[in-house]
Amino acid sequence: MTIRVGVIGAGIMGADHIRNLSTTIGGAEVTYVADLDVDRAAAAAPPSARITTDPSELINSSEVDAVVVASHDSTHSGLVLECFEAMTPVLCEKPLAPTLMESLEVVAADADIVAATGVSLLSLGFMRRFDPGYVALRNAVQSKAQGDPLMVHCISRNASSAPGATSESAITNSAIHELDIIPWLLDSPITEVSWQAGRSTPRAGTALQDPSFMTMRTADGTLTTLELFLNAQYGYATRCEVVSELGTAALQDSSLLDVEQQGIRQSSIPADWRPRFADAYRLQLQAWISALAMGETPSLAGAQDGLHAALVAQAMIQSLHSSGAYTKVSYS
């Protein structure tokens, strides 16, 4: 069975999904592409796909079996709710929504569909759950071969921030990956957070303090640190090390150089995140398509995962506006 996919958003991430679905994912065909920029949609779409500037046209088309939402964060909740109305399975790029209220609305609608049909239509694109490095790290942690985890150290650096980036959007759009992956890695929810920043790079602008430093405590007592630097200039890098009672385990990332500084960008340092997580995106898309073709529930992150990440993000933003005070995460 071939799953006919409509992709909303033909920017960097959307175009990458279109390319994967058209070339490396078995059982999928991109039949519709929607973007406000019709030329961008046409450039990303395969020759046989329809093009539109109206996402609703795509969602309600009889030529679409499933939808990928890869448009701006601010559009996510509205488009997902439209997919629910059409009873169309949807894979939404992270975050579920940029605000907690929007996330709660989507989760409530998803719960209604599950109550009526027994199946959720929503999958969420936290692709690190499919990254071979993170999967191996999680297996090492869960095996307790080195004892219980005590601390986790994370680093996330980008060459440059997106236009209009703010300290808040740095949390909801970038740090959101760690806000999801840490509970998944440790199998323990985040219960307390703190946000800190020191000197900021002049490239960050006035609304973004960059780099920033975040701490997260999970229910099992493990403390996680995250350095987030969106304007590191030299390229993209991500790291994660788990310090346990008897040793450490870390992501194995051959794309990093020992020397990292402004002005150095060699072929071994990717310009953005896509080369580093190419396998993760491919594996995630294939798992989604294969599950839909088999009539099964996809094994991707879901509505509750998106809500939990949004709740942690809200607490982190509250800490940001409270001079870094430790802030409890409420799941009730």
Side-chain angles (χ1 to χ4, degrees), residues 71-153:
S71 47
H72 191 272
D73 293 0
S74 62
T75 68
H76 286 190
S77 62
L79 292 172
V80 168
L81 290 173
E82 279 197 59
C83 289
F84 287 176
E85 291 176 6
M87 293 302 290
T88 301
V90 54
L91 168 55
C92 180
E93 266 300 326
K94 60 77 196 167
L96 180 57
T99 68
L100 179 58
M101 290 302 297
E102 290 172 287
S103 297
L104 286 167
E105 184 180 6
V106 172
V107 170
D110 177 72
D112 289 342
I113 291 174
V114 172
T117 68
V119 178
S120 173
L121 295 174
L122 176 63
S123 297
L124 193 57
F126 281 125
M127 82 294 179
R128 293 189 186 189
R129 295 178 177 219
F130 286 84
D131 177 68
Y134 274 103
V135 171
L137 186 57
R138 185 176 191 264
N139 290 339
V141 172
Q142 297 298 318
S143 74
K144 300 292 181 72
Q146 297 176 321
D148 288 325
L150 304 174
M151 293 186 294
V152 183
H153 300 297

Side-chain angles (χ1 to χ4, degrees), residues 1-5 21 25-31 63-66 289-290 292-294:
M1 177 181 179
T2 297
I3 302 297
R4 299 170 301 170
V5 183
L21 288 164
I25 305 303
E29 177 189 4
V30 176
T31 56
E63 299 178 31
V64 170
D65 302 315
I289 291 295
S290 296
L292 295 180
M294 294 294 291

